[in-house]
Amino acid sequence: MRNRRYHPGPQRKSLLAEAPALFLGLVVAGVACVYSIDDLASAPSQLLRLVDPSCNIKGNISINSGERIYHVPGQKFYSATRIRLEYGERWFCTEQEARDAGWRPAHR
């Protein structure tokens, strides 16, 4: 029996790099599957935040305490924070908007 060596195949590009419009369509379709038409009609600004790069403040809900915390770019856990709309997490365009909605800034 021959000794085989692992030879990785060519690197595949991400869906975002290959077809950004398709990726965006899938995101919107995913949101549409989670929310009803009434929810989408009543909150169009939240859908725009998924696409608007200026709305880059992440509103996260702590699993342990249920506390509402927002993260701004450059903070320690910003890149690790994932926003799950189905859990009530959301994006904000300004820190003031996040505070007005009852969210506190992250400590780190």
Side-chain angles (χ1 to χ4, degrees):
M1 181 173 222
R2 286 176 55 184
N3 197 6
R4 294 186 187 185
R5 291 184 183 216
Y6 175 71
H7 295 287
Q11 288 282 335
R12 296 181 68 190
K13 291 184 179 178
S14 71
L15 179 61
L16 181 59
E18 289 282 330
L22 176 62
F23 179 77
L24 182 59
L26 291 173
V27 168
V28 172
V31 170
C33 291
V34 172
Y35 294 100
S36 71
I37 296 298
D38 294 332
D39 292 335
L40 296 177
S42 65
S45 62
Q46 193 61 25
L47 283 176
L48 291 176
R49 291 162 202 261
L50 293 174
V51 187
D52 187 356
S54 68
C55 297
N56 58 0
I57 298 173
K58 298 177 178 182
N60 183 253
I61 299 175
S62 171
I63 294 171
N64 298 327
S65 67
E67 196 171 13
R68 296 172 182 268
I69 304 164
Y70 69 85
H71 302 263
V72 296
Q75 287 184 320
K76 184 174 182 179
F77 295 107
Y78 180 83
S79 61
T81 302
R82 300 288 176 249
I83 299 304
R84 303 281 307 266
L85 296 175
E86 62 269 24
Y87 296 135
E89 298 176 337
R90 55 182 285 197
W91 294 90
F92 296 102
C93 295
T94 65
E95 288 188 65
Q96 185 62 46
E97 179 186 359
R99 286 190 296 273
D100 290 346
W103 300 65
R104 73 156 177 88
H107 295 301
R108 295 182 254 178

